[in-house]
Amino acid sequence: MTLIDPPARLRAVDVRSERQEAAPERRRLGVTFVTFALAAVALTAAADLPKKGEPPLTAQTQRSGGERPPEQLAVSFDAADLALEVLPRTRRLTGVATLAFTAKAPLDRLLLDLDRNLPVSAVAIDGRPLAAGAWSNPEGQLAIRLPRQLRAGEKVSARITYGGTPHVAVNAPWDDGVVWSEAADGKLWFATTAEGYGCDLFWPCLDFPAGEPGTVDLHITVPAELKAPSNGRLVGVDTLPDGRTRWNWRTRNPNTYALALNVGPYQEISGSYRSRYGNTIPMHYWYLPGEKAKAEALFAEFAPTLDFFEANVGPYPFGDEKVGVVETPHKGMEHQTINAYGNGYAKAIEGFDWLFQHEFAHEWFGNQLTAANWDDYWLHEGYGSYMQPLYGEWREGRARYAAMMQAQRGGIANKVPLVRGRVVTEEEVYEPEKGGPGGDIYTKGSWVLHTLRYAIGDQAFRDVTRLAVYGRTDPKPGNFKPRYGSTAEFEGFVRQVTGRDYRWFFDVYLRQAALPELEEIVVNVTGSAQSYLQLAWKVPGGGSFPLPVEVSVDGTVRTVAMPNGRGSLPIPASAHIVVDPDARIFRRSTAVEDLQAWQAERAAARPRP
Ligand SMILES: [Zn+2]
């Protein structure tokens, strides 16, 4: 996801505007007793519709990731078939989920995550209905007692019928749930986000990053005249006898929070991209009517952006499905092959839409490479954020890159290490109140990668990135699958590619909160035209930090080796020096600290509304 400003274009329908909608409806119905009674029902329904933040979620449903119960670790998730109906009048969601698992250990019950606001009305195992007492879901963890114990290697299919009022997001995508909104023509505009609270907000799943199902079939039924773009390949659209349509999609290895429902009166732009790897990739953008020219301008960014990623990272991971983007009533989210776009076609000095570019980056860093533990999500968001300056450099050169890196620098907090080295939940990463690094996984992650690239060089950085994303340095369409990664594995790839151990680098940048500090002293020798610039790294934890430092001496750049964290450079006594003139090194800056302290003071002094 993205962690910048709240969405400017949020148009979620609140209860007040819903009541305003109800009034013309009543006038149309006329004056007979029967229609008056219908109007009264409509008004009651409007008053009872869920507001933002409703219905409330249990702690279990809000939680995503963390340590898993043995029953969830004992299954591999082979496939999910999800038939979902979006019912805007009552703001309900109903579903039939058919889930296929293989037991990896003896198993006598299935333990799935599902918000209890979507009660289960029936369960069948391998086609046979279970008695009502065979399942329970008191707090958002659905326990299903199997008719008999499974042996390791045995397969099981669970058909779960459920439905109710899905949780309405307060401020998607910063918190999650469904968004009931409307397009300019008053038609339904609906979306879901689930990164923070997890997939269990609307389907029964394994709510931890490594809980990806092998394949997913989606059948999404929506009101007449609306479209439901979703993940993967479109298999077909059925028209039901009542005029509604059912959109059938098939996708593979989706990230658990990547499955997304999007419903609206969409128009579609499509085209195809001939890849440098020889394959042809379909591209689709679904947008709301009324902004065709802006939609076409955004669509025109798809192919060059795709080319950047394919040239600098590697093949688009889902070329056999599609590149898909859909306009949403929330800011954005990396929904695999159907990225959410809600940036309002904002213009920027870098000349491209950073939000589209950022969410698209997650197809490589998040959806292809998935961190198996939330503790390693800096790999998603650090790379996801680093790709915008790198694209700026690809398009316009080093000045744009430097300007975009500097724009990220000012907000880095450095209060908590990026990586804790244990299994954590999403909240423990995103919420500083719960000790998480929060926004630093974006900007600090990006700067760690920037300095790593400097330390090991462009070619090694590219190889490390490819190993992390594809598990190999020679990816081609068809020779890789989506994979799970971790910080420890990433450090191993750096060691493998460079032949050197960079633990000192990661110990400081990932496992310490504070940044390394460079001490600079100019030693003048009395009576001599020769001085010495002495440099010393001071690092939190006091370890070794042999990162070389570039120094401009009267405009000529020299590199100072820093064995044992110290180095010295003879310079003319009159020389003008600039240390690290291209800002390649992520290090402590008192200017940034002073700026942040000043901003905090001003924010505290501002009168609260
Ligand atoms: Zn992101």
Side-chain angles (χ1 to χ4, degrees):
M1 74 182 272
T2 165
L3 203 81
I4 317 294
D5 333 298
R9 275 162 45 88
L10 193 74
R11 283 192 265 165
V13 180
D14 60 23
V15 169
R16 195 172 57 82
S17 63
E18 185 71 26
R19 285 209 181 101
Q20 285 164 347
E21 271 183 323
E25 177 75 3
R26 192 161 43 140
R27 278 199 297 276
R28 267 206 310 279
L29 286 169
V31 292
T32 68
F33 175 76
V34 174
T35 50
F36 180 77
L38 279 172
V41 169
L43 272 180
T44 310
D48 289 345
L49 290 172
K51 302 174 185 70
K52 290 178 186 179
E54 290 182 350
L57 298 174
T58 64
Q60 169 66 34
T61 296
Q62 287 188 42
R63 180 186 149 98
S64 189
E67 296 287 354
R68 304 313 303 168
E71 292 92 336
Q72 294 199 342
L73 296 172
V75 292
S76 64
F77 195 170
D78 304 327
D81 183 289
L82 306 175
L84 299 160
E85 290 189 30
V86 178
L87 304 165
R89 198 177 57 78
T90 51
R91 296 201 180 170
R92 283 169 56 86
L93 184 71
T94 66
V96 178
T98 307
L99 312 178
F101 299 101
T102 302
K104 295 195 281 190
L107 192 68
D108 52 20
R109 63 173 194 160
L110 290 175
L111 207 52
L112 306 171
D113 296 295
L114 179 64
D115 181 7
R116 68 177 182 185
N117 292 310
L118 304 174
V120 172
S121 56
V123 176
I125 296 296
D126 295 327
R128 282 195 211 95
L130 295 186
W135 73 84
S136 68
N137 185 11
E139 291 296 325
Q141 199 151 58
L142 173 62
I144 301 172
R145 203 169 59 239
L146 295 170
R148 63 175 183 85
Q149 192 183 61
L150 297 179
R151 294 186 305 272
E154 275 192 288
K155 293 184 183 301
V156 65
S157 161
R159 185 174 191 271
I160 299 159
T161 307
Y162 65 99
T165 303
H167 176 75
V168 178
V170 175
N171 186 20
W174 291 274
D175 86 322
D176 289 316
V178 302
V179 181
W180 299 103
S181 184
E182 58 181 15
D185 60 4
K187 288 190 176 134
L188 172 69
W189 190 21
F190 174 85
T192 59
T193 70
E195 185 187 19
Y197 297 154
C199 42
D200 52 343
L201 284 175
F202 66 103
W203 63 286
C205 63
L206 303 178
D207 182 16
F208 58 105
E212 293 184 3
T215 59
V216 176
D217 282 280
L218 287 158
H219 316 280
I220 307 162
T221 299
V222 300
E225 297 172 33
L226 299 183
K227 292 181 181 166
S230 194
N231 312 82
R233 279 188 311 110
L234 182 64
V235 177
V237 182
D238 310 320
T239 301
L240 306 187
D242 62 5
R244 293 186 299 162
T245 52
R246 182 169 53 215
W247 294 68
N248 304 298
W249 299 89
R250 177 168 293 168
T251 191
R252 61 181 165 85
N253 304 109
N255 209 338
T256 51
Y257 62 84
L259 292 184
L261 304 180
N262 305 281
V263 184
Y266 289 118
Q267 292 181 341
E268 183 184 347
I269 308 175
S270 60
S272 54
Y273 167 80
R274 197 186 300 255
S275 164
R276 59 178 63 222
Y277 292 96
N279 54 326
T280 299
I281 302 171
M283 304 187 296
H284 298 264
Y285 178 43
W286 285 270
Y287 66 100
L288 289 187
E291 295 194 300
K292 186 161 185 279
K294 290 176 181 172
E296 283 172 347
L298 182 67
F299 185 75
E301 293 189 28
F302 286 20
T305 311
L306 184 45
D307 188 54
F308 157 77
F309 281 110
E310 290 212 314
N312 290 278
V313 182
Y316 176 64
F318 310 104
D320 56 336
E321 295 187 354
K322 70 176 183 299
V323 169
V325 180
V326 60
E327 190 177 0
T328 51
H330 62 83
K331 188 88 171 179
M333 183 56 69
E334 59 269 28
H335 294 146
Q336 191 168 315
T337 68
I338 190 67
N339 276 324
Y341 174 81
N343 200 29
Y345 306 107
K347 293 297 167 198
I349 196 166
E350 57 267 18
F352 63 90
D353 194 302
W354 71 268
L355 184 112
F356 157 69
Q357 210 271 0
H358 177 91
E359 306 304 352
F360 196 42
H362 284 306
E363 297 286 22
W364 286 262
F365 307 101
N367 297 336
Q368 162 62 29
L369 161 66
T370 301
N373 171 8
W374 278 99
D375 197 37
D376 302 319
Y377 262 55
W378 75 274
L379 287 168
H380 290 204
E381 297 300 354
Y383 264 111
S385 301
Y386 185 56
M387 288 299 122
Q388 289 90 68
L390 206 63
Y391 188 44
E393 182 176 14
W394 176 255
R395 286 165 49 89
E396 292 184 89
R398 289 189 296 276
R400 179 64 63 212
Y401 173 84
M404 293 180 76
M405 288 307 302
Q406 290 301 329
Q408 294 183 354
R409 179 67 182 85
I412 300 172
N414 295 308
K415 293 216 166 67
V416 175
L418 282 185
V419 173
R420 265 83 54 88
R422 60 185 170 85
V423 176
V424 295
T425 64
E426 183 270 350
E427 287 180 332
E428 289 174 288
V429 175
Y430 269 89
E431 297 185 15
E433 314 80 68
K434 298 204 165 128
D440 275 10
I441 66 170
Y442 295 75
T443 43
K444 184 167 183 173
S446 176
W447 266 84
V448 170
L449 293 169
H450 163 73
T451 297
L452 178 67
R453 179 184 166 197
Y454 161 65
I456 68 177
D458 284 358
Q459 185 57 47
F461 183 75
R462 173 180 300 211
D463 286 348
V464 166
T465 301
R466 285 188 165 177
L467 285 166
V469 171
Y470 303 99
R472 56 194 305 163
T473 53
D474 61 344
K476 292 179 187 64
N479 76 0
F480 61 87
K481 285 189 169 152
R483 64 188 305 278
Y484 298 112
S486 69
T487 299
E489 183 199 60
F490 186 78
E491 293 183 51
F493 287 146
V494 173
R495 197 163 49 239
Q496 175 186 330
V497 168
T498 62
R500 296 166 70 175
D501 193 344
Y502 278 86
R503 191 178 169 89
W504 56 270
F505 179 98
F506 294 109
D507 275 349
V508 168
Y509 283 124
L510 299 183
R511 287 182 276 275
Q512 299 281 347
L515 291 176
E517 187 174 354
L518 188 61
E519 292 179 337
E520 307 161 17
I521 301 169
V522 175
V523 179
N524 295 309
V525 182
T526 312
S528 168
Q530 178 87 27
S531 294
Y532 294 89
L533 172 65
Q534 293 187 338
L535 300 173
W537 280 114
K538 202 169 105 187
V539 295
S544 158
F545 197 74
L547 186 65
V549 179
E550 291 181 340
V551 179
S552 164
V553 182
D554 286 331
T556 302
V557 176
R558 307 250 162 77
T559 299
V560 182
M562 299 286 284
N564 305 313
R566 294 179 171 276
S568 178
L569 183 70
I571 53 172
S574 60
H576 176 67
I577 60 160
V578 178
V579 173
D580 189 24
D582 292 312
R584 291 166 186 256
I585 297 176
F586 189 25
R587 60 187 168 118
R588 185 179 175 207
S589 158
T590 51
V592 170
E593 289 170 4
D594 291 348
L595 170 67
Q596 289 176 345
W598 177 75
Q599 286 168 333
E601 259 173 47
R602 290 213 325 167
R606 203 170 294 142
R608 293 187 187 278

